[in-house]
Amino acid sequence: MNIIDKFAFASNVTGTDHGDLTVSRSYCGGHSSITHGYTVGGQSASANLDIIDRFTFSSATNANDVGNLTRTTVAIATSSSTTQGFTAGGGSDVIDKYNFASFVTTTDHGDLAASEAGGTGFQV
């Protein structure tokens, strides 16, 4: 799927179409800053992906490809601070980070104790 849906946290309503990702994918991760959402990695019909897509919360628009992970990955764990996105695992022991303010390839932030896939993350 490439659909970005939105819904209000404060009410119990059905989601509405907000826009589209740059590539249809499954098993991807997500981050959020105060103003934007990010979809990272995942699997397309033909390959694992390293794409970082960004979309704004304030208006219904399509996502833009703003950078790349250091590797292609699926089933990745994601965490966000107020300024950075972190990815971990996805079948490896790699921890990557990127700044929300600059659109560049992620940098290696360290390693997990063991390779993992399908982990969870936390937001600040």
Side-chain angles (χ1 to χ4, degrees):
M1 304 239 354
N2 71 337
I3 298 168
I4 303 168
D5 278 346
K6 69 177 178 180
F7 58 91
F9 288 134
S11 60
N12 196 9
V13 297
T14 302
T16 59
D17 188 25
H18 186 75
D20 294 328
L21 299 173
T22 60
V23 177
S24 292
R25 60 182 97 178
S26 57
Y27 306 109
C28 51
H31 298 110
S32 60
S33 70
I34 294 171
T35 58
H36 291 84
Y38 299 81
T39 301
V40 298
Q43 186 176 55
S44 70
S46 60
N48 292 345
L49 303 171
D50 64 355
I51 299 168
I52 302 171
D53 276 355
R54 174 182 176 225
F55 57 92
T56 182
F57 292 141
S58 63
S59 61
T61 59
N62 292 332
N64 294 307
D65 181 343
V66 295
N68 297 93
L69 300 171
T70 59
R71 71 215 183 282
T72 61
T73 187
V74 298
I76 194 166
T78 58
S79 298
S80 301
S81 74
T82 56
T83 60
Q84 296 175 320
F86 295 85
T87 64
S92 76
D93 65 353
V94 175
I95 302 170
D96 283 344
K97 73 173 181 177
Y98 67 97
N99 291 316
F100 294 139
S102 60
F103 311 126
V104 296
T105 299
T106 57
T107 57
D108 188 343
H109 187 66
D111 294 321
L112 299 170
S115 295
E116 68 172 61
T120 60
F122 302 92
Q123 272 55 291
V124 173

